[in-house]
Amino acid sequence: MAAKTNEQLVFEFQSLIPYIQSLATLEEVDWVTPIAAGKWTLKEMLCHITQWDKYFYEEAFAKVQEGRPLTIRHQNFDEFNARAIDYARSLTTQAAIGQFVQYRTKILETTTGLSDEEFTKAYPDGDGRKFSIRGYLRDFIPHDKHHKRQMEQYLKTMKSGK
């Protein structure tokens, strides 16, 4: 399989926005019911994605845009995700959708107009590891797709159960 172009990566990363927006008409109960026993709710899953977007935007993308050193560091995923789930409980569903769109759009706006060189440039992060915009998108698109598949499966189950 051929490597994806930068434009293809940006398009794929952007594609979750209209999908999430299309879920805005779901009933609240659909947003706050776990997708399966011991699993997250749609709202928790969305806040999990959003909090990662927010973290990477604030600690990496905005810094790249401003020409400042990156402050992103390796996170304890379980702790980070637990905070995202707690945060989900403090938001309305509409606010959660709005924040997702806001941070995803901010990341995408940062990528607009970058040269291929800037898109692939390796910047040292707060841990001294390499961070690139291309690498981030390449890593997070499968993460998005994983959660989108979970959402779609849950919604299919909800429709057949009603």
Side-chain angles (χ1 to χ4, degrees):
M1 185 165 97
K4 293 184 174 153
T5 66
N6 295 342
E7 292 78 19
Q8 287 170 321
L9 289 172
V10 169
F11 178 79
E12 280 190 59
F13 193 70
Q14 181 277 335
S15 71
L16 194 60
I17 294 173
Y19 177 73
I20 295 298
Q21 289 173 320
S22 78
L23 303 181
T25 58
L26 291 174
E27 294 177 32
E28 187 64 19
V29 68
D30 296 331
W31 279 96
V32 298
T33 302
I35 64 166
K39 297 289 186 181
W40 293 338
T41 68
L42 288 181
K43 187 164 71 166
E44 289 168 343
M45 206 177 306
L46 180 60
C47 286
H48 155 79
I49 294 167
T50 303
Q51 289 302 297
W52 281 111
D53 278 3
K54 179 179 188 278
Y55 180 71
F56 276 93
Y57 173 74
E58 291 176 349
E59 306 300 328
F61 283 84
K63 307 286 184 182
V64 166
Q65 193 172 38
E66 297 162 0
R68 295 176 42 213
L70 277 57
T71 53
I72 195 162
R73 294 184 166 285
H74 180 76
Q75 296 292 303
N76 176 309
F77 298 132
D78 292 335
E79 290 174 10
F80 189 98
N81 292 338
R83 287 191 305 272
I85 300 319
D86 286 344
Y87 184 66
R89 296 183 185 119
S90 73
L91 290 179
T92 66
T93 297
Q94 293 307 313
I97 293 169
Q99 284 190 3
F100 165 74
V101 171
Q102 174 189 1
Y103 281 102
R104 184 60 54 113
T105 301
K106 283 181 176 208
I107 288 174
L108 290 161
E109 286 171 346
T110 304
T111 66
T112 303
L114 290 179
S115 68
D116 284 345
E117 182 182 336
E118 292 168 318
F119 203 87
T120 57
K121 180 178 177 182
Y123 301 88
D125 68 12
D127 291 327
R129 296 186 179 141
K130 293 184 184 327
F131 172 88
S132 74
I133 290 172
R134 181 176 174 80
Y136 172 84
L137 295 179
R138 224 182 35 237
D139 290 346
F140 268 79
I141 288 168
H143 177 256
D144 283 355
K145 287 180 178 179
H146 165 72
H147 288 304
K148 184 178 178 185
R149 278 191 303 274
Q150 289 179 309
M151 292 175 183
E152 288 171 336
Q153 186 58 47
Y154 166 72
L155 294 172
K156 208 179 289 178
T157 305
M158 296 301 293
K159 285 181 184 149
S160 64
K162 287 187 177 178

